[in-house]
Amino acid sequence: MKDLKNLIYFENLLQDAQNELVTRAVSEGKLALGYNCSYIPEPFLNLPGCFGSRLRAPRCTSTDIASYYMTTRVCPYVRSILERAIEGGYNYLSALFGAEACSAMERMQEHFFLINPVKNEKFFVTQIDGPMKGDNANLTYYKGQLKLKVLDALKEHYGVDTSDEAIRQAIILQNEVNAIITEIGNYRRLDNPPITGYEFHVINLVAQVCPLYLIKPYLEETLEDLRTREPDPVFPFRARVVVAGSEIDDPEFTKLIETCGGMVVADRYCFGSFPGREQIEIFPGESAFDAVCRHYLHWNQCARFMDGDKIDQRHEQMARLVKEFKADGIILESMKFCEFWSYEKVLANHIMNNELNIPCCTIEKEYALGAVGQLRTRFQAFIESLEIKAIQGGAGK
Amino acid sequence: MKITDKLIASIDKKLEKFDPKWQAEHGVGGLRTRYYDKTGVAKYREWRGVKDTMTDYTAWLNNLLTMGGMVAKDPVKILKGFWEYRWMGSFLGTFMFIDRLYEGYRGEELKIAHMHMHAIVQGLTKKIAFTMMNDERFGGGKESDKVIPMDEMIPPLVFAGFKGMHPFALQTLPEFIICDVDQHIEPYYIDVSESFGIAADVCSRCSAETGVALDDAFPLFGKVMMSTNMPCNASEATSMFQRRRINKPDYVVSLAMQHNEPEAHAFSREVIEGAIRFVEEHYDVKWDWDAFWAAAKEMNEQNTYELEKWDYFKTDYSPLTGIAETLYRLYEWAACAGTEPLFTKVDRKVMKRMRKAYEEKYVPFGGKTRHRAFLWGPSAVYYTDFPTWTQNCWGINIVLNMDSTMGHNMISLDDPDQAMDDLTRFAEKATMRHHAVGGWDNVNAIWEWAKNFNCDMVLMNDNIACKGMLGVHAVLEEQARDLGFHFIFIEHDLQDSRTVSRQDMRNCVNNYMTVVLGETPLDPTLVEFDDAAAY
């Protein structure tokens, strides 16, 4: 396939947390609002004068200092983020909106006020207590938390306009970006897509880490590019897979799977597009704030949700993605030391394999892709098994 | 001095060479001398002097009688229990367990410790008999449908308003208390869990719970399953497996994690009220305030005593310390929470003794205490007698344990609205989660607690798989240094004694005491010994 015009530019944007567009927005006087977890709705971070930036620690090769603070026995993603903060990599941030989504994340975010790694006098941190069920009581609590710890905090610290109209405008921008990403992602449904999983991963990531108003024109241009892009004459991969799991913010991981012959057709993980790119609807009579909270609670599929409906939703979503994106199997990933995904991975593997007859491969990985030989072997074996199943008539047939 | 006292004193003097504490002082043995190497099997019972040996032996007989009574309730089903459940066999180690808990105890501390332990034995044997007599795996019983199975992190008081019903913590028998008794039982269930694919780095306690579920080793009864998000991530995650395996309608009692924030309580209260409605719907029963208040009254009295006990713990004259305090409080609160009046009666008796001991300026452990320590963080379940060892070996008196600080607020006994608020706050501060999760302030509270209880030392339980506590390692250590506390991380793996052995845990203390403080042990036989094969 012909190269996508903006791909190298996007790849470069992912090389640093404070990339070119982030720097430009900050220099324009915008408040950079960091977040780690999809419990924090992006529209609340894209209010007038602000932009949201999901924290990554690209090219992090050592977490020595963070490991001193948190030991080596906690999630490498959170250690990498803390390490990057201590290195001064997030000094552009005006605030960090955390969530007590998991203990490791919570503790990492606490270090942002305990040891003050961000050198910005007005920088502050709040942490919401994220709901664990999808019912009305939890929705009410979620709303209360978001109002108090995101909107009110922004208003109090920086005088940000948090009115209904401001939120509506942020929703419009978010929906526009989501629509572009969704349309781009939908090309992966085709039998011979004009986009690879790696390319989509890069595109989706830049839309999470860069200011939306600055990245949007590039995304539109990329979509236009894709509309006329000719795929290879023959589908170049040996199998199609859905990747589900925790924090995967390194497109090289997707590339690794694809170099083993499996195209990643759907990304159902933190930093992925499922969920995350759905249109936010405002129902008649509903405030913009209520709509955002309802939307994010409904679509959130974090492995920490405990009620039956949400657990079932997670597995139904995986099965739906397999069907709609014509995947041959699922790669279930968990980050080393991630308790939620360690359990969810095993349960999902059991349900998919034994109850829904969808082949799965479960893997555990570090945050930074270092020695990937073992992973490569696992992926190659899995993809080979999918091929064999396809030759034999398909697993589910 | 009475003539009998004189006689006893004379016998004690003649036989003192058999007392392991005397032996340790005189360099001719110690508390470990009477054991076969690597085991918890003693060659003979500990000689503590005439009176204390009688106290100890009478307690032993009392416990035996209670356990015999349990078997007599339904011998066939109890026997089936041994056949069906691997964990049942481990209860045979109870006597060894009690013996090692109170090694080196003398006088008032021994009497109170046994009063506490006998209450636990009575409560526990009742639960075991009840379980076997009503377990659906053995055909059920007349109370089977009246059981409300729940996660052990939910205090039973939450369901005490259902008269005639039995809120029953499912994990207590197969996973929690049995690991206290036998360090070798949970690794089996952990292996079951890991064989299914659960990572080896998750909390071993939650992994064990998952293994128990997968091994079908939870007793079965009741019509629902009340799970909870307490206390932490892995516990939340294991609930997914338990609900599938137990396969009954479930309700998640998902209380606010950041439970110290004012807005959290209204939410948590709504969740608890939802749980009560759920039980009403599935059992066709009605909440009865009088039944609730009867239990709440017991709990209030127990908590009143607990608060008074704390005042004594702050002094050097409390005969209640270490594991005798912790285990009782844990069982009284988490397993009963007001639903077992026996504990109030025991509390009343213990309080009288504690008041008297304080008035008489009674110094426990023969005045050998060198350091007063606060034990923080979730403790290793497989090494319950660790506080006994710290006292006997190094003179470190653990005056209070983090878990003992759980829900100690009073509950209104006449205002339903206020009572529900109080119950919510009580439940929010459950075992482990009170300080281990819910934000930095909860963990950071350690220094205030340690200072208030006049401690010079903090022993920090360092569960190698507890992501929440690991995440604050360095900051806590730096604070300890700044505030002038002796601070020791005690590495452990909560329920997996294979990863970090009891000796490994002891070494954490040994190294600090010798290298940093340059102290010598009170009992050299306890510094290094192999008890890997012990119960």
Side-chain angles (χ1 to χ4, degrees):
Chain A
M1 284 187 288
K2 192 176 145 190
D3 286 344
L4 285 174
K5 183 184 164 194
N6 292 319
L7 190 67
I8 292 175
Y9 180 62
F10 288 160
E11 286 173 336
N12 286 335
L13 288 176
L14 295 178
Q15 294 302 304
D16 289 295
Q18 185 172 0
N19 60 39
E20 178 191 323
L21 296 186
V22 167
T23 304
R24 194 194 311 170
V26 171
S27 67
E28 287 171 359
K30 296 280 194 295
L31 301 170
L33 308 177
Y35 70 110
N36 300 103
C37 176
S38 51
Y39 267 99
I40 305 296
E42 290 164 278
F44 294 161
L45 310 182
N46 288 305
L47 292 167
C50 311
F51 71 92
S53 181
R54 194 163 182 169
L55 298 189
R56 297 170 61 246
R59 296 185 293 162
C60 179
T61 53
S62 151
T63 59
D64 288 349
I65 303 173
S67 296
Y68 159 72
Y69 281 106
M70 302 187 73
T71 79
T72 53
R73 301 191 297 265
V74 298
C75 165
Y77 166 75
V78 306
R79 275 186 285 134
S80 301
I81 296 294
L82 181 58
E83 185 81 13
R84 183 53 47 90
I86 293 167
E87 289 166 356
Y90 303 129
N91 284 344
Y92 64 92
L93 286 179
S94 296
L96 172 64
F97 294 106
E100 184 160 341
C102 63
S103 299
M105 190 91 84
E106 179 209 5
R107 294 295 182 222
M108 174 270 286
Q109 290 157 351
E110 283 170 358
H111 281 82
F112 276 72
F113 60 75
L114 288 173
I115 60 174
N116 299 313
V118 174
K119 303 304 171 204
N120 177 340
E121 276 181 18
K122 291 186 78 179
F123 173 83
F124 69 91
V125 185
T126 64
Q127 292 172 294
I128 69 156
D129 188 359
M132 309 192 78
K133 288 159 70 175
D135 61 14
N136 280 334
N138 280 269
L139 177 57
T140 305
Y141 187 51
Y142 188 38
K143 284 183 193 172
Q145 289 284 297
L146 288 172
K147 181 172 184 310
L148 182 72
K149 295 177 179 172
V150 180
L151 296 189
D152 290 355
L154 276 173
K155 196 169 182 178
E156 185 189 326
H157 283 84
Y158 293 112
V160 171
D161 178 5
T162 59
S163 65
D164 192 73
E165 183 52 33
I167 298 172
R168 279 174 194 270
Q169 291 307 313
I171 291 174
I172 290 169
L173 177 62
Q174 188 70 50
N175 278 345
E176 287 169 354
V177 171
N178 288 356
I180 297 167
I181 300 281
T182 301
E183 194 173 338
I184 293 173
N186 278 342
Y187 282 107
R188 297 174 299 174
R189 293 169 186 257
L190 300 176
D191 289 339
N192 187 9
I195 186 170
T196 65
Y198 166 77
E199 288 167 337
F200 180 79
H201 197 170
V202 170
I203 293 165
N204 192 41
L205 276 176
V206 291
Q208 290 179 56
V209 300
C210 297
L212 285 188
Y213 74 102
L214 291 177
I215 196 69
K216 191 179 141 204
Y218 295 99
L219 296 174
E220 286 169 331
E221 197 176 8
T222 304
L223 177 58
E224 276 308 310
D225 207 3
L226 275 166
R227 282 177 179 145
T228 56
R229 193 188 200 195
E230 284 293 325
D232 290 340
V234 179
F235 181 58
F237 297 97
R238 294 152 59 196
R240 301 162 67 96
V241 295
V242 172
V243 174
S246 59
E247 307 279 353
I248 304 174
D249 71 4
D250 185 355
E252 291 299 318
F253 178 71
T254 304
K255 186 184 268 182
L256 175 67
I257 297 170
E258 299 200 324
T259 56
C260 295
M263 178 182 171
V264 178
V265 290
D267 46 343
R268 188 266 169 272
Y269 48 77
C270 307
F271 281 96
S273 64
F274 298 109
R277 295 300 176 190
E278 298 76 16
Q279 290 292 296
I280 302 167
E281 286 182 82
I282 305 175
F283 296 151
E286 194 179 30
S287 71
F289 172 75
D290 285 353
V292 170
C293 298
R294 173 185 49 72
H295 175 93
Y296 273 79
L297 182 59
H298 172 75
W299 283 104
N300 193 327
Q301 287 172 32
C302 180
R304 74 192 281 274
F305 277 100
M306 294 180 69
D307 56 327
D309 290 346
K310 292 295 269 184
I311 294 171
D312 293 344
Q313 184 196 28
R314 290 202 289 268
H315 302 138
E316 283 162 10
Q317 166 89 329
M318 277 185 212
R320 183 181 69 78
L321 291 174
V322 167
K323 193 175 171 190
E324 292 183 2
F325 286 77
K326 299 172 202 145
D328 302 298
I330 303 176
I331 291 173
L332 290 159
E333 173 269 1
S334 73
M335 187 78 75
K336 184 91 182 137
F337 301 118
C338 175
E339 304 216 278
F340 284 123
W341 270 99
S342 176
Y343 281 88
E344 173 63 10
K345 180 182 72 179
V346 172
L347 184 60
N349 181 48
H350 175 77
I351 292 171
M352 295 299 142
N353 263 317
N354 299 336
E355 296 175 13
L356 300 176
N357 210 12
I358 298 171
C360 291
C361 164
T362 62
I363 59 116
E364 186 178 75
K365 71 185 257 299
E366 286 284 339
Y367 175 67
L369 279 182
V372 294
Q374 289 176 337
L375 282 180
R376 182 176 288 119
T377 306
R378 295 288 309 280
F379 294 147
Q380 285 168 341
F382 179 57
I383 287 157
E384 195 174 310
S385 75
L386 293 179
E387 267 185 315
I388 293 168
K389 282 189 173 83
I391 291 166
Q392 291 172 342
K397 293 173 191 167
Chain B
M1 190 185 258
K2 289 181 195 168
I3 191 152
T4 48
D5 289 340
K6 280 184 181 171
L7 183 64
I8 287 169
S10 161
I11 297 170
D12 283 350
K13 182 71 187 161
K14 282 194 183 308
L15 298 180
E16 68 183 2
K17 63 182 176 185
F18 297 110
D19 183 337
K21 297 184 94 168
W22 182 92
Q23 291 170 347
E25 273 178 43
H26 293 81
V28 290
L31 281 159
R32 187 63 198 171
T33 309
R34 67 192 181 99
Y35 287 95
Y36 290 103
D37 188 31
K38 296 183 173 49
T39 73
V41 181
K43 296 166 195 163
Y44 42 84
R45 292 193 69 75
E46 182 182 349
W47 176 251
R48 308 171 194 243
V50 173
K51 280 186 179 174
D52 290 335
T53 302
M54 284 300 289
T55 301
D56 187 53
Y57 196 62
T58 308
W60 188 89
L61 285 172
N62 266 339
N63 290 333
L64 183 66
L65 202 64
T66 304
M67 290 184 82
M70 172 192 81
V71 177
K73 279 185 184 169
D74 195 333
V76 175
K77 284 192 172 175
I78 301 281
L79 200 62
K80 280 184 176 175
F82 279 102
W83 190 258
E84 175 73 22
Y85 297 124
R86 175 180 285 257
W87 48 262
M88 267 293 277
S90 291
F91 279 111
L92 295 174
T94 301
F95 294 105
M96 277 188 191
F97 164 64
I98 297 171
D99 283 349
R100 66 181 157 88
L101 285 185
Y102 302 143
E103 260 187 355
Y105 277 52
R106 304 284 185 269
E108 275 305 295
E109 60 265 31
L110 181 68
K111 287 188 185 111
I112 289 176
H114 274 309
M115 287 166 77
H116 274 181
M117 181 47 73
H118 190 56
I120 295 172
V121 170
Q122 284 177 287
L124 199 59
T125 48
K126 208 162 118 184
K127 273 190 198 305
I128 295 172
F130 178 86
T131 300
M132 298 306 146
M133 290 161 72
N134 292 285
D135 192 335
E136 289 165 15
R137 296 188 207 277
F138 311 134
K142 60 184 169 76
E143 301 295 309
S144 298
D145 284 346
K146 294 180 186 166
V147 178
I148 306 171
M150 54 175 207
D151 190 287
E152 68 176 339
M153 292 296 152
I154 305 171
L157 187 61
V158 169
F159 300 112
F162 295 112
K163 200 174 180 182
M165 304 287 286
H166 311 282
F168 196 95
L170 272 188
Q171 295 89 355
T172 302
L173 295 183
E175 178 268 320
F176 172 62
I177 203 118
I178 197 60
C179 184
D180 281 311
V181 175
D182 178 6
Q183 65 171 330
H184 297 294
I185 185 66
E186 294 312 315
Y188 166 77
Y189 294 114
I190 292 166
D191 286 349
V192 170
S193 163
E194 290 179 9
S195 298
F196 198 71
I198 301 296
D201 56 43
V202 302
C203 170
S204 59
R205 179 172 190 165
C206 305
S207 185
E209 281 185 25
T210 308
V212 171
L214 294 172
D215 209 40
D216 289 329
F218 278 122
L220 281 183
F221 31 41
K223 298 178 178 177
V224 300
M225 171 64 195
M226 309 301 288
S227 58
T228 183
N229 62 338
M230 299 186 284
C232 60
N233 295 171
S235 174
E236 290 148 13
T238 182
S239 296
M240 290 194 301
F241 283 80
Q242 292 173 40
R243 74 180 275 277
R244 277 178 67 87
R245 203 67 182 177
I246 291 167
N247 199 23
K248 294 183 189 257
D250 69 316
Y251 181 92
V252 185
V253 185
S254 60
L255 306 184
M257 297 302 283
Q258 295 181 0
H259 50 276
N260 279 347
E261 297 185 1
E263 59 279 3
H265 304 304
F267 165 67
S268 295
R269 174 176 168 161
E270 205 173 337
V271 172
I272 286 178
E273 287 172 337
I276 290 169
R277 280 196 303 276
F278 186 80
V279 170
E280 286 181 332
E281 285 163 18
H282 284 80
Y283 287 85
D284 196 23
V285 288
K286 279 281 160 211
W287 178 263
D288 176 351
W289 278 106
D290 289 332
F292 172 75
W293 278 323
K297 191 178 172 197
E298 296 287 337
M299 192 69 239
N300 280 354
E301 190 174 344
Q302 290 169 16
N303 265 339
T304 305
Y305 292 137
E306 181 67 15
L307 295 175
E308 188 182 345
K309 284 176 192 172
W310 290 2
D311 285 337
Y312 295 120
F313 295 161
K314 291 170 186 171
T315 73
D316 291 332
Y317 312 116
S318 171
L320 175 59
T321 65
I323 198 59
E325 183 279 326
T326 303
L327 206 59
Y328 179 80
R329 172 70 174 160
L330 201 58
Y331 193 85
E332 175 187 67
W333 196 97
C336 304
T339 60
E340 192 61 83
L342 164 72
F343 285 83
T344 319
K345 288 179 192 159
V346 172
D347 276 345
R348 285 178 197 144
K349 289 180 191 165
V350 167
M351 279 321 305
K352 278 186 189 165
R353 286 189 170 274
M354 288 186 72
R355 286 173 193 143
K356 190 163 175 279
Y358 179 74
E359 281 164 16
E360 293 173 356
K361 301 280 183 271
Y362 175 85
V363 181
F365 301 110
K368 298 286 184 189
T369 296
R370 295 167 175 170
H371 301 281
R372 296 172 53 85
F374 212 107
L375 187 61
W376 203 249
S379 302
V381 191
Y382 60 82
Y383 198 3
T384 322
D385 51 318
F386 176 73
T388 305
W389 174 82
T390 61
Q391 174 65 50
N392 288 332
C393 187
W394 292 104
I396 300 170
N397 182 0
I398 293 174
V399 297
L400 199 61
N401 179 322
M402 179 186 84
D403 282 339
S404 298
T405 68
M406 59 206 163
H408 50 271
N409 59 309
M410 298 300 151
I411 291 160
S412 169
L413 298 179
D414 51 17
D415 178 350
D417 186 53
Q418 184 61 46
M420 197 49 77
D421 261 356
D422 297 337
L423 176 64
T424 301
R425 284 164 204 267
F426 180 85
E428 281 176 333
K429 297 189 184 304
T431 324
M432 289 202 285
R433 83 187 309 252
H434 181 194
H435 288 296
V437 299
W440 167 247
D441 290 344
N442 293 332
V443 188
N444 195 37
I446 170 58
W447 313 117
E448 273 305 301
W449 283 94
K451 193 175 134 201
N452 287 340
F453 281 78
N454 298 312
C455 295
D456 64 325
M457 182 177 273
V458 171
L459 299 183
M460 184 73 191
N461 278 307
D462 184 16
N463 174 3
I464 58 167
C466 177
K467 314 302 183 285
M469 299 306 267
L470 290 172
V472 290
H473 239 240
V475 175
L476 281 178
E477 191 154 21
E478 286 173 3
Q479 283 188 325
R481 203 158 47 221
D482 291 346
L483 296 169
F485 284 99
H486 297 302
F487 187 73
I488 312 176
F489 279 116
I490 314 293
E491 273 197 347
H492 67 77
D493 197 7
L494 205 59
Q495 291 201 342
D496 194 344
S497 56
R498 298 168 301 185
T499 323
V500 182
S501 70
R502 289 173 176 169
Q503 183 56 46
D504 291 335
M505 289 175 63
R506 290 191 286 268
N507 282 344
C508 296
V509 181
N510 290 342
N511 291 341
Y512 189 91
M513 298 308 288
T514 52
V515 177
V516 180
L517 295 185
E519 293 187 8
T520 50
L522 292 174
D523 184 340
T525 68
L526 293 176
V527 175
E528 184 144 0
F529 59 93
D530 187 352
D531 56 348
Y535 260 113

